[in-house]
């Protein structure tokens, strides 16, 4: 049976256009059950969706020992949800909005997240 949790990305840019942190209060931290554990939790998928404007998110995952390299996820408002399967052993996920350029001011449009275990 599938299990899921959903929510919204906080308003405000957590990262500037060069990837540097503006402030952590604009980020979201998800503490999650480790995916892909046989007999405990199944495969896990993290999805994002945006409306009205395209959004760039920085996603960083922690495997219980260290933070993995951050990756930028471009969420296009005209597309369906943007989903990726989580690697085995992930325990925390940090997500924040990224300014796409110096003129980017769209820091408060709706961006939702969905965490699914299948």
């Amino acid at each position: 049976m599938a299990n899921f949790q959903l929510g919204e990305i906080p308003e405000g840019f957590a990262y500037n256009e060069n990837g540097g942190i503006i402030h952590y209060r604009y980020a979201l931290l998800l503490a999650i059950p480790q995916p892909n554990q046989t007999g405990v939790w199944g495969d896990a998928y993290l999805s994002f969706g945006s409306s009205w404007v395209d959004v760039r998110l920085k996603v960083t995952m922690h495997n219980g020992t260290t933070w993995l390299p951050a990756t930028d996820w471009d969420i296009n408002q005209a597309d369906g949800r943007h989903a990726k399967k989580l690697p085995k052993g992930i325990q925390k996920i940090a997500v924040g909005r990224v300014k796409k350029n110096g003129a980017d001011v769209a820091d408060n449009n709706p961006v939702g997240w969905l965490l699914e275990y299948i």
Side-chain angles (χ1 to χ4, degrees), residues 80-97:
R81 67 180 177 171
H82 184 90
K84 291 190 180 181
K85 183 178 177 181
L86 296 177
K88 184 176 183 176
I90 295 301
Q91 297 181 20
K92 296 187 289 188
I93 303 169
V95 182
R97 297 172 192 253

Side-chain angles (χ1 to χ4, degrees), residues 75-113:
I75 314 304
N76 188 326
Q77 58 87 21
D79 293 342
R81 67 180 177 171
H82 184 90
K84 291 190 180 181
K85 183 178 177 181
L86 296 177
K88 184 176 183 176
I90 295 301
Q91 297 181 20
K92 296 187 289 188
I93 303 169
V95 182
R97 297 172 192 253
V98 180
K99 285 181 76 93
K100 291 183 275 184
N101 56 55
D104 189 356
V105 295
D107 69 345
N108 64 352
N109 61 299
V111 180
W113 60 267

Side-chain angles (χ1 to χ4, degrees), residues 53-74:
V53 298
D54 297 343
V55 175
R56 179 168 294 146
L57 300 174
K58 187 171 293 297
V59 179
T60 312
M61 299 181 197
H62 193 280
N63 64 11
T65 304
T66 188
W67 286 101
L68 304 177
T71 57
D72 289 344
W73 294 19
D74 288 318

Side-chain angles (χ1 to χ4, degrees), residues 2-52:
N3 293 293
F4 67 92
Q5 178 72 37
L6 53 97
E8 294 182 22
I9 301 299
E11 293 182 3
F13 290 115
Y15 300 94
N16 65 28
E17 61 273 19
N18 299 318
I21 187 104
I22 293 173
H23 202 286
Y24 59 84
R25 72 174 167 238
Y26 302 117
L28 171 70
L29 178 67
L30 301 172
I32 66 168
Q34 293 181 43
N36 312 308
Q37 296 183 74
T38 304
V40 182
W41 293 98
D43 292 337
Y45 295 84
L46 180 61
S47 303
F48 296 102
S50 173
S51 58
W52 290 287

